[in-house]
Amino acid sequence: AGHWSSLPPSHAAGHGDPAKTIWVGNLPPGATNANLRSIFEELGTIFDLRVSAVEGTYAFVEFESRDVARAALGLDGTSLGESRLSVSPANPDRQAARGVLHEMQRRAVERVAEAVKPLVPDDRVQKVGGVVGPAQLSALASITSPAA
């Protein structure tokens, strides 16, 4: 990892040579670099691997050779936990835009949750573990409806 300090930021995973880099999506919650490394390094040397800081839903894996990156595309659909990985050639601009969109959606849900929270009795909020996301909002709606 120390070799990155001497390289310009444009060479970070997902921003280096796209022909040597893959995008891995549909990561399960809690996926780590070690999980992904165990899957992909059997194909060849990994130059860099970075899981997105935005909810950790995707990663870029950069290999030392283009041939290994092409071979890695064959791992599309590989299981990791309860998820089937989506593996495709890296397209940093598209993937960065997707990450920004996910972050905007997450923040919007949090704002709605914070706005709704004062309107709901505390005992009902406790039943869903607090309001923090879409699943909790749905659960909260089901227990606060007039039929509940």
Side-chain angles (χ1 to χ4, degrees):
H3 64 280
W4 285 113
S5 60
S6 62
L7 294 175
S10 63
H11 284 80
H15 300 286
D17 183 349
K20 295 180 183 179
T21 306
I22 61 168
W23 175 83
V24 182
N26 199 35
L27 299 180
T32 65
N33 284 3
N35 298 137
L36 294 174
R37 195 170 285 281
S38 70
I39 293 171
F40 291 102
E41 74 183 347
E42 294 198 17
L43 297 172
T45 303
I46 294 174
F47 188 63
D48 191 36
L49 187 154
R50 299 204 186 169
V51 174
S52 163
V54 180
E55 299 181 22
T57 58
Y58 66 91
F60 286 107
V61 183
E62 188 170 355
F63 297 94
E64 283 193 332
S65 85
R66 294 172 181 207
D67 292 336
V68 175
R70 278 192 296 270
L73 297 175
L75 294 177
D76 184 48
T78 297
S79 294
L80 179 59
E82 298 289 318
S83 297
R84 295 179 62 80
L85 301 179
S86 174
V87 181
S88 63
N91 182 335
D93 294 334
R94 183 183 76 203
Q95 303 312 334
R98 182 182 284 170
V100 169
L101 178 61
H102 284 169
E103 179 64 13
M104 289 171 56
Q105 290 171 335
R106 185 186 64 75
R107 288 182 184 172
V109 166
E110 286 178 353
R111 284 192 301 272
V112 169
E114 287 304 314
V116 169
K117 197 172 186 177
L119 305 174
V120 180
D122 285 341
D123 65 319
R124 299 221 179 196
V125 172
Q126 295 302 320
K127 286 183 181 180
V128 294
V131 179
V132 294
Q136 289 84 0
L137 282 173
S138 295
L140 186 58
S142 72
I143 65 170
T144 58
S145 68

